[in-house]
Amino acid sequence: MPRPAAAGDTAAGEGPADPIRVLIVDDHALFRRGLEMVLQTEDDIEVIGEGGDGHEAVQMAGDLLPDVVLMDIRMPRRSGIEACTAIKDAAPSAKIVMLTISDEEEDLFEAIKAGASGYLLKEISIDEVPQAVRAVHGGQSLISPSMASKLITEFAVLAKRSEERTQQVPAPRLTDREMEVLRLVARGLGNREIARELFISENTVKNHVRNILEKLQLHSRMEAVVYAVREKLLEIT
């Protein structure tokens, strides 16, 4: 029975595509050997190297330029998280998959921040690893279902906290003069025109605009207007 087409296969007549180059990094030699044996049976995947810690991972990634790195988190000399960040500098195109026993949310979040494209627990079937390699190489992000559930829960908690904080913190209060300036800014007037309208100097207008942006923690006049309308500090008619 023919093998199903894999992500690295090409259409008939085009010739085989280059195999996906994989670097395996884990401090347990037996686990590395098991991964290598499984991956080497795949026509479209080539194991180009093995490392036993994060320090070796960074060196080998820079020398070999793998397409995909399968790496543990808890390793001697240099952790997988630290190595992940360094590998993204040494081999920017490499996709990194954390393959670990750690189901700690903090490790998951740190791995994502460090640039990992996947986070899989070692409880997955070893036969699933080749498909994971192909998926990540093809641009997908992979997270073990149990960890994805934790990630979604954490995002929901953060969103709720953000909403509560927004409700509890009142909008910064602008002075009457700042409100006058903001209304004129909303009408599209420049500093010189506002100064003429309010019978104040142009420098004073600039100071008011700067104070408005600082109070609202914004970066531009347009952002100030959008914020003011959204918070119903003024209405543009």
Side-chain angles (χ1 to χ4, degrees):
M1 180 175 179
R3 180 176 62 84
D9 292 342
T10 57
E14 292 183 5
D18 291 335
I20 303 171
R21 296 158 49 83
V22 177
L23 172 64
I24 300 172
V25 185
D26 195 290
D27 57 334
H28 292 93
L30 190 59
F31 185 76
R32 294 200 309 269
R33 181 59 181 157
L35 282 180
E36 181 183 18
M37 290 177 63
V38 169
L39 294 177
Q40 291 288 36
T41 64
E42 304 294 323
D43 295 337
D44 60 333
I45 297 175
E46 176 187 4
V47 177
I48 59 172
E50 297 179 24
D53 58 52
H55 184 72
E56 289 183 3
V58 177
Q59 286 187 325
M60 296 180 74
D63 293 338
L64 301 176
L65 301 178
D67 298 314
V68 176
V69 180
L70 296 176
M71 182 164 58
D72 196 2
I73 283 184
R74 307 283 168 79
M75 295 186 295
R77 292 212 288 173
R78 196 171 194 176
S79 74
I81 301 293
E82 294 171 338
C84 184
T85 302
I87 289 172
K88 296 304 289 185
D89 290 334
S93 63
K95 303 295 178 60
I96 302 171
V97 178
M98 295 299 184
L99 193 55
T100 177
I101 62 171
S102 174
D103 61 355
E104 299 292 331
E105 293 98 326
E106 184 177 354
D107 284 337
L108 170 62
F109 302 148
E110 290 301 316
I112 292 173
K113 286 196 294 184
S117 297
Y119 194 100
L120 301 176
L121 298 181
K122 287 182 177 178
E123 64 189 25
I124 69 168
S125 166
I126 200 166
D127 295 331
E128 296 178 54
V129 176
Q131 280 302 109
V133 168
R134 295 186 186 102
V136 170
H137 181 253
Q140 297 182 38
S141 296
L142 296 178
I143 300 179
S144 288
S146 61
M147 297 304 292
S149 176
K150 292 183 179 183
L151 191 62
I152 292 171
T153 300
E154 183 66 17
F155 280 147
V157 171
L158 290 174
K160 184 176 181 181
R161 287 177 184 169
S162 177
E163 183 179 348
E164 290 174 349
R165 191 160 51 245
T166 301
Q167 292 173 349
Q168 293 171 358
V169 178
R173 183 172 179 79
L174 302 180
T175 66
D176 291 341
R177 178 61 88 183
E178 288 167 349
M179 287 297 297
E180 287 180 318
V181 171
L182 186 51
R183 288 190 182 94
L184 294 174
V185 169
R187 284 169 45 191
L189 275 62
N191 289 345
R192 182 173 301 177
E193 296 168 308
I194 294 174
R196 193 179 302 125
E197 184 85 12
L198 298 179
F199 301 101
I200 56 179
S201 72
E202 193 171 342
N203 282 336
T204 301
V205 174
K206 290 180 182 178
N207 289 336
H208 284 313
V209 172
R210 184 179 65 250
N211 290 338
I212 291 169
L213 296 180
E214 287 179 355
K215 285 185 178 182
L216 301 182
Q217 296 184 355
L218 302 173
H219 303 95
S220 71
R221 297 160 73 100
M222 182 56 66
E223 285 183 354
V225 174
V226 172
Y227 177 93
V229 173
R230 188 180 70 233
E231 298 297 324
K232 299 180 180 179
L233 298 179
L234 75 152
E235 295 181 1
I236 304 175
T237 58

